[in-house]
Amino acid sequence: MESPFEVLGILPDADDGEIVDAYRQRVKEAHPDQGGSTAEFQAVKTAYERLQNGYEPGDPLPDETAEPESDAPPEPEDPMVEFLNFEVLEDHGWSLGDEDLFEKAADAGLRSTDFGRFYVDPNDTLLEAAEKNGFAWPFACRGGACTNCAVAVVEGEMPSPASHILPPDLTEKGIRLSCIAAPVSDNAKIVYNLKHLPEVSELLLPASRFEQASSTD
């Protein structure tokens, strides 16, 4: 099994700044939208978490086949987000306007990547929180200049920063960009992967286009 340093491509004596920079680069490379895979994305996330938790060169890596401890840790006090993948709505004949949408999802036996929940740490955007929890949600620019990472806020509060590409009619419908917004209410329900919604798809940005623009800055 590779050490966290090997996964991130850094030396064992790397400082905190180098670790963060390497993680940001590797998590983009490993994202399925950028040519990576879910397994690679999860490995990068796990490596970074181990370093953040004090892993040192030579420390034993945990036995991933071991049974989990029975005592569950207390739930965080940070905002909790319940999420649903927009792609599954058509398969089940659901719509964003269904009042019992999340109740239906809870009873449908969906995959953990399509329906679930996670907590959002302070100062994290919704997209960053999803990635920290191992979910490879769509994105491109990470700066509010496209709708690749758009989500619909079904319940809860998630203010939208002033500088973004979304027109007023979409923000009024509860559409937000997960790369620049985060929930402020204790609980929120959101539908992600809205790049398949017609009015959102008009503002999509191909990832390759963004990469080319960034490389010439």
Side-chain angles (χ1 to χ4, degrees), residues 147-169:
T147 55
N148 295 55
C149 70
V151 301
V153 181
V154 176
E155 185 178 304
E157 298 181 22
M158 195 163 84
S160 184
S163 179
H164 57 75
I165 198 173
L166 288 177
D169 62 314

Side-chain angles (χ1 to χ4, degrees), residues 53-78:
N53 291 330
Y55 179 90
E56 295 289 344
D59 285 354
L61 293 171
D63 181 4
E64 297 181 351
T65 63
E67 291 292 328
E69 295 182 5
S70 57
D71 294 332
E75 294 190 344
E77 297 181 356
D78 303 318

Side-chain angles (χ1 to χ4, degrees), residues 10 21 54 64 71 85 97 110 113 118 123-124 132 151 184 196:
I10 54 178
D21 288 344
E64 297 181 351
D71 294 332
N85 187 352
L110 300 174
T113 53
F118 57 78
N123 301 318
D124 277 353
K132 282 186 176 180
V151 301
V184 296
H196 301 287

Side-chain angles (χ1 to χ4, degrees), residues 127-214:
L127 178 61
E128 290 170 336
E131 292 177 341
K132 282 186 176 180
N133 284 276
F135 300 112
W137 287 9
F139 77 91
C141 75
R142 288 185 177 266
C146 69
T147 55
N148 295 55
C149 70
V151 301
V153 181
V154 176
E155 185 178 304
E157 298 181 22
M158 195 163 84
S160 184
S163 179
H164 57 75
I165 198 173
L166 288 177
D169 62 314
L170 288 185
T171 57
E172 289 172 2
K173 293 178 180 178
I175 307 301
R176 299 289 186 268
L177 300 179
S178 63
C179 71
I180 58 174
V184 296
S185 52
D186 291 339
N187 298 281
K189 294 180 179 179
I190 68 100
V191 177
Y192 79 97
N193 214 10
L194 286 193
K195 63 182 183 179
H196 301 287
L197 194 67
E199 55 263 48
V200 169
S201 64
E202 297 175 358
L203 301 171
L204 292 178
L205 175 67
S208 58
R209 176 182 167 188
F210 173 71
E211 291 169 354
Q212 291 167 4
S214 299

